[in-house]
Every structure is written in structure tokens, then in C-alpha cells.
Amino acid sequence: MAISDPIRVGVLFSQSGPISTIGTSQMQGTLLAIDEINEAGGIDGRPIEPVVYDPRSDPATYARLAERMVSVDGVKVIFGCYMSSSRKAVIPIVEKWNRLLFYPTLYEGFEFSPNVIYTGAAPNQNSVQLARYMTSNFGARVYLVGSDYIYPYESNRIMRELVLQHPDSAKIAECYVPLDATEADFTKIVNDIRDSRPDFIFSTVVGDSTTAFYRAYAEAGLDPRVMPIASLTTSEAEVSQMGRHAAAGHITAAPYFQSIDSPLNLRLLARFRRRFGDHVIPNLCWEAAYLQMHVFADAMARAGSDEIEPLLPQILGTEFDAPQGRIRIEPSNHHTWVYPRLGRVDATGQFTILQESLRPVRPDPYLVNLALGDWAVNLSAEEC
Amino acid sequence: MQPTDRRPGTPQTRHGLSVSPHGVPATPSLLKDLRSLRVLLLHPEDNDGDLLRRQLQRIGCQVQAVWPPRPQLPEGVDVVFLAVRPDSIALDYSWACAEGAPPVIAVVTYENPTIVDAVLRVGAKGVVSSPVRSFGLLSSLVLARKIGQEIQAQARRIAKLETKLAGQKRIAEAKTILMQTRGIHEDGAYNLIRDQAMAKRVNMEEIATAIINANEILSFRPAGQEVKR
């Protein structure tokens, strides 16, 4: 292979179907990082060449396209997946061929594959912080609403166990809607919320139906100052889709918000808008997609190869100055040290950061005993 | 789909599994125990051994790795992963079948009758096959402990029932002796045993045993002579 041959990498995010908004943003975050790396001369003079496919939000298509990337396109490393079902579909492929998958999404934990690097938050890096903030500021009577698949089931189990440790706590209800739920699906739920008056709502509704839920809430005239929706997945992308009016006042826990006021983040956002325009909205998964491409490129420059054997030791333990702060890939479990933050949507559709961690929190994907009072890291209290 | 029809249902209730009175399926205690679990890894220090140790530590267990296996277990082991290999099947595994022994999960490289037989002999409650994958270990671990706990609970229950049954047989025998020697009815015999037990503050089985023993001594006849009842 010539010294200047491009390095082909797989980019596998859904640009169509119910999770296309987040999927497209993850793809753009990936492409932005590739642009930066190539503009800086590539990896040892070799440019990165993305092989981009659209798995259309369908797990079987993810598996088929991942197989094609590896066997036909000769890709050694794949960047992709959002929903757990898509990750579970791709893992057998990368394990079979001994390739690497970078997965830039928060998920429910309880997984380790030697062929995956996980760059989103595990439950000990977002659920614990969100449960504590919500119970201490609003109360512990929770109403759980989720999309009907594994991530919401497990997230709700975690949230329930955290919230029910609190005195005077209660689970008012727990219900699930189809992934393509519309506003009509949520009308009954929102009416029930109005009647049962929980202290807060925990939403694990993902994808485009998030908009339908928040709009149904707004149209029912419910007040987020009294009874907000708390979420781990409602990001700037969903806020932009549903409109500021429907989103304002609701709360999200995430390692990254656009509103992080650091020179690095502001420069990156400006560069992204120049390159891609305003129609794709940066969010936590966009940032994870961006940072993981740089982690790969730095590691490959040191390893001199994109084969997993030399590459993996260079990835594990590595640190990178990401927009959220300096992150680290934990060698023992392949997950990422991230900075938990709590944000509330303001009138402009951006998140006001209520609290943020001063230090990165160690990922602990197999943590079974999540404790409400046992906070490993003190978040700063900028506004409580 | 009518989402609110399910409330306060959960994914678990839909599949008919048990739910606590509050409608909240709590995380099973067998899962919550994982972090305090002391795991003995009886496995050579090779790729599988290394992967097993790392995944168990990732889950949060306390792992002690030893090879070759010793004739006795260290103190305070909750579960054992044991490599069942052609070169180690002749060793002494009597500890594995002792009462109260921790459950054993066999790690097998071969699936031939010799190895399967060895897996049965160590009383394995689970099997992990080589090459070991990290995925699936947590389930094996939880399941083996669950089966081990159930077997131990059942063994305790059976022992209790056997004692109880033997006692009932003795009481019946003592009643028969009293009915024959005193010419009383079954109820009268029963009341007599019960009253004696209460007066002497012992249980009825002990009184019954005393009656049987006394009867054997009192009705002794030289060998060959039929006992007249």
C-alpha cells in the first residue's frame, strides 16, 4: 500500500427512518472530525476516506451493511449505531471479522465487547445525577414514559430504583409507546399525567416521537416549572425539531450541551456551521461521534496501522480534549470517562447548564447498586 | 397500541413474571450481590483465564485466580469457575460435592464424553465453553448461583422432612405399643404420649422413642422364640 493511500473507515448512521435526526447529526460530527484530520495532513500523510451507508433505522440493515463494509470495502474500523438494537446487530459482525466499532451513544450498560469502544455515557454517568437533581428539586413521585425497546426498559428500571430510594417516593405509572408514536398516542398519557400530577416525568422516548410527546404536553397546558420532563436523550436536535415553545423548561442530563462556554467548543461550533450549515443540530451524540474519530486518528498515528491488534492498545487509556472536557478511554471496560451535566431548555432552545461535573466520571457499565445519595463526583452548583 | 392501558405495567409484567406489591420489579438480589461476590477462578493463566478474570472484575466481583486446583477450597468462596481439562480431571474434587459447597461453573474446551463425565462429577451448575466470550458470563454466574441456592434450600427442606417423617413413624409405632399393652384406643395412646411430652418438656418423638426402647427391653425373649404381641 502506497504511503499516501487513503484509510477507509465505515460510517454507519441512519439518515432515514425514525432516528434519522440524531443519526444524521452523528454522521456530520464524524465527517467534521474527518475534515479536520485531513486538513491537518491526514494520518501520517494518508487521508481518511469515509465509506458512508444509510441503514435506515433497521437493525438487520445495520448488520448487512456492516458486513459489506468489512468484506467488500475493506474497512477495519466502523463508526456507528444509535439504538441498542443496531449495536447488538453489528457486534457479531465486528467480532467475527475481528474489527473495531466506535459507538458514540449513551446506552443502558451491562455490555463489554473487546471489539467495541463506547464513547457515550453509561447510567452511572447520567441517570444517577438526573435522579438526584429531580428528586431534590421537584420531588420523588415519578411518571415514566418510554419508547418500546430495551434501552427505555433498562433506563426506567434504573430510574425507578434510584427515585424509590427517596422518602415519600412513588412510581405513578410506567408506559411504553411505539418507536413511531404520534401525538395521538401521547394524548391519553398526557391527560393521565395532568390527572395524576407526578412531581416529574422521566422520558425515555427517543427519535422523532420525542417531538410528539413534548408537543402533547405543551398543548395540554402543563407547566414545566412545576412538573418538568426529565430526559437523557432529548438534546438540542430534538428541541429544534419540536420547537422552543414545546421544549422550554424541560431538563436533560448529558455530558455535552452546545451551550458549554469554552473557546474550544465555540470554535468547533463555528467551524461546523461554516462547513455544514444550520440544518444539522449539534448535540451530545454529535459530540461523541466527533471526539471518537479524533481518538481513533490519534491512536492510529501512534500505532501506524488500523488493524485492531496494534490499534487497540493505543486507544485504551488515551485522553483527548473534547468539547465537553478532557475525556479518557477506560482500559478496563472500553467505555469513556465523561462529564455529567444537567441542562434546562431556555427560551432560545439552548440548554442553561444547571450543574456540571468538575472532573470526568469513571464509566461503570456493570454498576448494579446505583445509590441516590452516593455521589462519586460533586457537580458544581451554578444554579440550584 | 394503547399505551396507557398497560399502566402500571412494565415490560416484565407483560411477560407474566412476578412483580413486587408496589408494581415495581426490583433488581433481583442475585444481581445486587454481584459486587460483593468472591469468585475463585481455577483456571490456567492463558487467554481464557485472562478474559474470565477481566470480565469478572469488570462486573465488579472479587476474583482470586489459582492453578492447578488444590484439594481444598480457600475460605469464603461464593462461586467457582473450574477449568475441566484432560490434564486435570484426575484431581481430587471432593470439595465440590461437599455440603454447602459453592456452585461450580465448568469451563470446557472439549465436549467429548470424558470431559462431560468430569463436568457431571464436579456437580457443575453451569458451563462456559472455550474460547470464552465476555458476553454470557454474567448470566451463567447468576444462574449457577440461583441453581446452587435452590438445591441447597431443597436439601435442607428434604432433611427436615425426613426427620419429621421418621418422628411420625416412631409416634405411630409407640401408639401401637400403648394400644396393645394398655388396651386403649388410638386417641388415648396419642394423648398419653402428648401429655408425657408436655410434662417432661420434650417433643413427642422423644417420648415415642423411649416407649419403643422400653418395649424392646421388656418384651425381650431368647433367640428363636417368637415374640407374642
Side-chain angles (χ1 to χ4, degrees), chain A residues 180-197:
Chain A
D180 56 358
T182 59
E183 225 171 299
D185 290 308
F186 290 108
T187 309
K188 225 174 151 180
I189 293 175
V190 167
N191 287 339
D192 191 44
I193 289 171
R194 190 180 45 213
D195 297 342
S196 58
R197 302 213 60 78

Side-chain angles (χ1 to χ4, degrees), chain B residues 15-154:
Chain B
H15 300 301
L17 296 181
S18 66
V19 171
S20 76
H22 310 292
V24 178
T27 302
S29 64
L30 278 166
L31 274 174
K32 294 198 158 185
D33 286 351
L34 286 171
R35 288 279 156 134
S36 55
L37 215 56
R38 290 156 303 182
V39 180
L40 178 65
L41 180 57
L42 295 175
H43 200 286
E45 196 181 350
D46 54 17
N47 282 343
D48 281 342
D50 206 41
L51 195 149
L52 279 162
R53 179 181 58 77
R54 284 169 193 256
Q55 180 63 13
L56 289 167
Q57 286 173 339
R58 226 170 261 132
I59 291 169
C61 306
Q62 300 165 40
V63 186
Q64 189 187 354
V66 177
W67 190 259
R70 318 254 160 83
Q72 271 169 353
L73 278 194
E75 287 289 304
V77 171
D78 296 312
V79 63
V80 180
F81 278 84
L82 172 66
V84 178
R85 304 154 53 100
D87 58 352
S88 64
I89 53 175
L91 296 172
D92 178 11
Y93 294 109
S94 51
W95 52 262
C97 302
E99 204 184 317
V104 172
I105 298 166
V107 185
V108 299
T109 313
Y110 297 88
E111 211 169 29
N112 56 41
T114 307
I115 295 297
V116 174
D117 176 58
V119 168
L120 291 174
R121 275 189 290 116
V122 301
K125 307 290 184 291
V127 173
V128 168
S129 57
S130 170
V132 177
R133 291 183 66 217
S134 47
F135 182 76
L137 277 187
L138 191 150
S139 303
S140 296
L141 194 58
V142 172
L143 200 60
R145 289 196 70 223
K146 167 90 173 157
I147 294 169
Q149 283 180 2
E150 280 179 0
I151 288 176
Q152 283 188 6
Q154 278 171 5

Side-chain angles (χ1 to χ4, degrees), chain A residues 67-82:
Chain A
E67 183 102 36
R68 190 207 288 183
M69 283 176 168
V70 172
S71 60
V72 179
D73 302 310
V75 155
K76 303 282 172 33
V77 182
I78 296 173
F79 300 81
C81 302
Y82 176 70

Side-chain angles (χ1 to χ4, degrees), chain A residues 185-228:
Chain A
D185 290 308
F186 290 108
T187 309
K188 225 174 151 180
I189 293 175
V190 167
N191 287 339
D192 191 44
I193 289 171
R194 190 180 45 213
D195 297 342
S196 58
R197 302 213 60 78
D199 293 329
F200 72 99
I201 299 124
F202 179 53
S203 166
T204 44
V205 176
V206 306
D208 294 348
S209 57
T210 310
T211 291
F213 180 36
Y214 282 67
R215 281 190 182 159
Y217 176 104
E219 272 159 34
L222 302 178
D223 186 355
R225 285 171 303 184
V226 184
M227 192 172 57

Side-chain angles (χ1 to χ4, degrees), chain A residues 95 157 161 332 364 366, chain B residues 7 27 35 55 58 133:
Chain A
E95 289 191 346
R157 187 189 64 78
E161 297 221 332
S332 68
D364 194 353
Y366 287 93
Chain B
R7 68 174 275 247
T27 302
R35 288 279 156 134
Q55 180 63 13
R58 226 170 261 132
R133 291 183 66 217

